[in-house]
Amino acid sequence: MKSINELIKEINELKSELHDKDFLLTWEQTPEELERVLKTAQVLKAMRQENIATNVFNNGLGISLFRDNSTRTRFSYASAINMLGLAQQDLDEGKSQIAHGETVRETANMISFCADAIGIRDDMYLGAGNAYMREVGAALDDGVKEGVLPHRPALVNLQCDIDHPTQSMADLAWLEEHFGGLDQLKGKKIAMTWAYSPSYGKPLSVPQGIIGLMTRFGMDVTLAHPEGYDLIPEVVEEARKNAEASGGSFTQVASMEEAFKDADIVYPKSWAPYQVMGRRTELLRANDHDGLKALEQECLAQNANHKDWHCTEEMMKLTKAGEALYMHCLPADITGVSCEAGEVAESVFDKYRIETYKEASWKPYVIAAMILNRKYQEPGHILQELLDDAKKRVK
């Protein structure tokens, strides 16, 4: 394991423009910038383990806006901003002037007077979530330019319709830890596969985030799903280009068995078809409850045709030496536990339960690292000051 000082030295050597842009899609960042976020997260985690305080800010707010349900990401964001010394304020749109027609430009500035970070989850409307985040970012830029805001808050994508960068980066951090380095991921096969779920409407952003990020590091990424469960075509093409640039590969297959064959890592996860998410968005915007109910029944019936897309012990035997690493963003639909039939067999999930918890544990550090790299051009210098000061977090 590298020391904190070694990691800080490497952070300082990596070129980055993250201080001048929001982290909204992983494939908008260079490999060096992605690596710098990972190393910053590693330093923060190591300092936490050594009981060193990481309060970069003595005061200030971290604003959160969740337009969809969340457990891990909600608490990871709260942990991240608290780790950096910020207080959290959740924006409840139903209790704000947004409900009365306040514009995005106005809201973004009004909530940002003393804010150093804004985290947004907006994954329900295809074609809208990431666009909304960019609109907020533009409003913040205007606020700083016009002297309304003293500084630019860091804007973090806590999941949108296109990508879930805090999840995929936490997944990458876990793979780096598990396999012993980013260089050890080259040539590793990861199977990102659809899996049966008794629910519908799960976002596309997790599988898209995985294929969009893991193809950046020379991995052999295989995407598998039943016919009709397509992802956003532009993201699939992005994954293909990423693989070519990194020396890895990107392959699409039509069965879970083929995807699992000789895989080092498997990620069986349900999602709604791209076309369905488009129809769902139109119905949500039209407030068409009857239409939404009809679409749900149609999709559940469609899902039921593919119950064999199930991560079982037999399926796991197809992987490399029968011991591939199982991954999931959680919560998983566990057969016989959280549902009658779902994504993964209880025995498989129980075998890898602690590993999935370790996977999730990286998210607070990744979010904090994204904020630090947005707020400071040289985050390594800030981390070095904290290390030199070495104040105890718990006295």
Side-chain angles (χ1 to χ4, degrees), residues 198-210:
S199 65
Y200 109 108
K202 294 182 188 293
L204 306 168
S205 43
V206 169
Q208 291 177 168
I210 292 300

Side-chain angles (χ1 to χ4, degrees), residues 43-56:
V43 170
L44 290 168
K45 189 172 187 179
M47 292 175 73
R48 181 81 172 190
Q49 290 170 341
E50 294 187 18
N51 198 35
I52 298 173
T54 54
N55 294 44
V56 174

Side-chain angles (χ1 to χ4, degrees), residues 69-72 121 167 197 199 202 268-270 326 328-334 338 343-344 349 356-357:
N69 296 332
S70 174
T71 301
R72 271 146 294 277
R121 167 169 284 193
Q167 179 65 50
S197 172
S199 65
K202 294 182 188 293
K269 165 82 176 72
S270 185
Y326 167 85
H328 200 285
C329 57
L330 302 179
D333 291 326
I334 308 168
S338 54
E343 299 167 320
V344 60
F349 185 82
T356 64
Y357 292 176

Side-chain angles (χ1 to χ4, degrees), residues 58-329:
N58 290 324
N59 56 54
L61 289 176
I63 309 297
S64 58
L65 171 56
F66 283 84
R67 289 175 158 176
D68 201 358
N69 296 332
S70 174
T71 301
R72 271 146 294 277
T73 304
R74 182 184 292 274
F75 279 86
S76 291
Y77 179 74
S79 297
I81 61 173
N82 180 267
M83 189 190 313
L84 298 177
L86 299 174
Q88 183 180 14
Q89 179 62 54
D90 189 54
L91 173 58
D92 185 336
E93 292 184 301
K95 296 179 181 178
S96 74
Q97 294 297 338
I98 294 172
H100 296 157
E102 183 176 271
T103 65
V104 174
R105 183 174 58 186
E106 187 174 338
T107 301
N109 279 273
M110 294 306 104
I111 67 174
S112 300
F113 292 138
C114 294
D116 284 286
I118 300 174
I120 302 175
R121 167 169 284 193
D122 190 351
D123 59 10
M124 295 184 68
Y125 296 87
L126 194 63
N130 198 267
Y132 172 75
M133 294 175 189
R134 293 179 191 278
E135 189 176 359
V136 170
L140 296 175
D141 290 338
D142 184 62
V144 173
K145 178 184 175 183
E146 298 299 335
V148 174
L149 303 177
H151 53 78
R152 175 57 152 75
L155 182 60
V156 182
N157 177 358
L158 300 178
Q159 189 174 15
C160 70
D161 52 318
I162 302 173
D163 194 9
H164 195 346
T166 62
Q167 179 65 50
S168 59
M169 286 292 286
D171 291 341
L172 182 60
W174 166 232
L175 288 177
E176 182 179 11
E177 176 189 353
H178 181 79
F179 288 104
L182 285 179
D183 59 323
Q184 298 301 308
L185 300 183
K186 287 185 178 294
K188 291 282 191 299
K189 179 181 178 180
I190 178 169
M192 182 69 241
T193 78
W194 186 86
Y196 169 73
S197 172
S199 65
Y200 109 108
K202 294 182 188 293
L204 306 168
S205 43
V206 169
Q208 291 177 168
I210 292 300
I211 67 170
L213 180 61
M214 302 311 170
T215 47
R216 305 291 298 280
F217 293 90
M219 299 187 76
D220 294 332
V221 179
T222 298
L223 174 66
H225 56 76
E227 184 178 357
Y229 284 79
D230 305 284
L231 301 178
I232 297 176
E234 290 81 2
V235 179
V236 174
E237 182 56 31
E238 188 70 41
R240 203 180 310 281
K241 290 190 296 185
N242 291 345
E244 186 177 343
S246 73
S249 67
F250 177 68
T251 308
Q252 290 182 266
V253 298
S255 73
M256 182 180 273
E257 289 85 353
E258 189 175 353
F260 271 45
K261 184 172 173 53
D262 297 324
D264 299 280
I265 306 129
V266 297
Y267 207 131
K269 165 82 176 72
S270 185
W271 64 81
Y274 165 58
Q275 294 84 353
V276 165
M277 290 301 279
R279 290 167 59 193
R280 179 172 176 260
T281 294
E282 292 175 3
L283 293 168
L284 282 167
R285 284 177 168 161
N287 205 25
D288 186 346
H289 298 292
D290 291 337
L292 284 166
K293 288 180 181 178
L295 180 62
E296 179 177 12
Q297 292 309 307
E298 176 188 330
C299 294
L300 291 178
Q302 184 181 2
N303 281 5
N305 293 327
H306 305 293
K307 288 188 176 182
D308 56 326
W309 288 70
H310 185 211
C311 184
T312 61
E313 290 188 44
E314 287 301 311
M315 197 71 75
M316 291 296 287
K317 287 177 182 177
L318 299 172
T319 67
K320 186 169 288 186
E323 291 292 336
L325 176 67
Y326 167 85
M327 296 180 72
H328 200 285
C329 57

